[in-house]
């Protein structure tokens, strides 16, 4: 078994923390000693999802609203908190019947949920990440970017745009000497959790990534050499 990293000096912000991936990532980070700031759009969902982790700082924020994200960032800094890591787990999936079935509503939902929240959080916290001795930014992308279909065209296009944004963040990290920050893309086919297994015990879920394997990958990013990690597309083990 791979030993847990020692992240006891770090503070990591999880955007989209009330999802199953967010819960697993918060558990992995806190187990490694990190302080976690868990951000989601609904305070009640955050409490239900992460209330069992007493050391996690729960923050409700509309991540599609840049002014709200900026206000959160300023509030944290005023309180003496500057995140070392930003793990972006805000997502969602919408599909349709072919290209003509890619509706405007679905596209706008994906754009706001995936790309707008990534842009807002990265812009608000890039200064903190750049100043950190171990700054990290990471997103979850999809194999659909490599093999898009007509039915998932909007989803694949938005994920591709998110990857491009992360590579741009990576370029900014690389411009700082000595380089301490890194931005990475973690690629999965789809995520799997215990509730999905319980609901469909007959399924094998080939190629899916368990949320705990994703969480271990995210926590491990902080121990990797930033120059070697920066801009990479990674596939979780497991």
């Amino acid at each position: 078994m791979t030993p847990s990293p020692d992240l006891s000096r770090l503070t990591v912000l999880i955007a989209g923390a009330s999802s199953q991936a967010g819960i697993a990532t918060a558990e992995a980070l806190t187990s490694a000693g990190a302080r976690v700031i868990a951000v989601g759009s609904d305070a009640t969902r955050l409490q239900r999802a992460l209330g069992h982790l007493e050391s996690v700082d729960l923050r409700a924020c509309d991540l599609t609203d840049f002014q709200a994200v900026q206000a959160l960032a300023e509030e944290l800094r005023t309180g003496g908190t500057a995140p070392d890591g930003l793990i972006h787990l805000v997502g969602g999936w919408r599909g349709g019947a072919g290209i003509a079935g890619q509706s405007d509503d679905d596209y706008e939902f994906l754009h706001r949920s995936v790309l707008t929240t990534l842009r807002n959080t990265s812009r608000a916290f890039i200064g903190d990440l750049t100043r950190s001795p171990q700054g990290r930014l990471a997103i979850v992308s999809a194999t659909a970017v490599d093999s898009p279909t007509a039915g998932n065209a909007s989803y694949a296009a938005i994920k591709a745009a998110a990857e491009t944004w992360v590579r741009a963040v990576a370029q900014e990290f690389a411009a700082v000497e000595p380089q301490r920050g890194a931005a990475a893309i973690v690629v999965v086919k789809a995520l799997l959790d215990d509730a999905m297994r319980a609901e469909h015990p007959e399924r094998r879920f080939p190629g899916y990534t368990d949320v705990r394997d994703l969480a271990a990958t995210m926590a491990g990013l902080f121990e990797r050499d930033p120059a070697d990690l920066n801009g990479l597309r990674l596939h979780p083990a497991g």
Side-chain angles (χ1 to χ4, degrees), residues 14-35:
I14 303 173
S18 60
S19 64
Q20 290 300 312
I23 296 168
T25 301
E27 290 174 342
L29 290 169
T30 55
S31 294
R35 179 189 177 193

Side-chain angles (χ1 to χ4, degrees), residues 130-166:
T130 302
R131 288 186 292 269
S132 168
Q134 288 176 263
R136 298 291 185 272
L137 179 143
I139 67 166
V140 178
S141 189
T143 55
V145 172
D146 300 310
S147 54
T149 65
N152 71 8
S154 293
Y155 176 75
I158 292 296
K159 284 292 190 180
E163 289 197 17
T164 298
W165 185 271
V166 172

Side-chain angles (χ1 to χ4, degrees), residues 87-140:
I87 296 178
H88 182 274
L89 300 176
V90 188
W93 186 85
R94 297 284 179 89
I99 294 298
Q102 304 298 298
S103 73
D104 288 344
D105 286 345
D106 287 344
Y107 181 83
E108 289 301 324
F109 166 80
L110 291 166
H111 191 281
R112 287 175 60 81
S113 177
V114 177
L115 189 59
T116 298
T117 59
L118 173 61
R119 291 182 65 250
N120 288 348
T121 52
S122 58
R123 287 185 294 160
F125 292 103
I126 187 64
D128 298 315
L129 302 181
T130 302
R131 288 186 292 269
S132 168
Q134 288 176 263
R136 298 291 185 272
L137 179 143
I139 67 166
V140 178

Side-chain angles (χ1 to χ4, degrees), residues 134-200:
Q134 288 176 263
R136 298 291 185 272
L137 179 143
I139 67 166
V140 178
S141 189
T143 55
V145 172
D146 300 310
S147 54
T149 65
N152 71 8
S154 293
Y155 176 75
I158 292 296
K159 284 292 190 180
E163 289 197 17
T164 298
W165 185 271
V166 172
R167 288 195 294 272
V169 175
Q171 187 277 328
E172 185 155 320
F173 281 139
V176 177
E177 292 291 344
Q179 185 178 342
R180 300 174 296 182
I185 300 157
V186 181
V187 182
V188 303
K189 175 182 177 181
L191 293 173
L192 177 64
D193 58 61
D194 290 341
M196 293 168 63
R197 290 189 182 92
E199 186 175 356
H200 299 284

Side-chain angles (χ1 to χ4, degrees), residues 30-115:
T30 55
S31 294
R35 179 189 177 193
V36 171
I37 303 167
V39 184
S41 60
D42 186 276
T44 300
R45 283 202 302 268
L46 279 171
Q47 181 62 39
R48 288 174 179 168
L50 294 163
H52 64 290
L53 297 175
E54 295 181 358
S55 61
V56 174
D57 183 0
L58 306 179
R59 301 279 182 145
C61 180
D62 180 1
L63 297 177
T64 67
D65 181 343
F66 184 53
Q67 291 186 337
V69 180
Q70 281 186 310
L72 172 62
E74 289 301 325
E75 183 179 348
L76 290 173
R77 292 185 197 112
T78 300
T81 298
D84 301 282
L86 168 60
I87 296 178
H88 182 274
L89 300 176
V90 188
W93 186 85
R94 297 284 179 89
I99 294 298
Q102 304 298 298
S103 73
D104 288 344
D105 286 345
D106 287 344
Y107 181 83
E108 289 301 324
F109 166 80
L110 291 166
H111 191 281
R112 287 175 60 81
S113 177
V114 177
L115 189 59

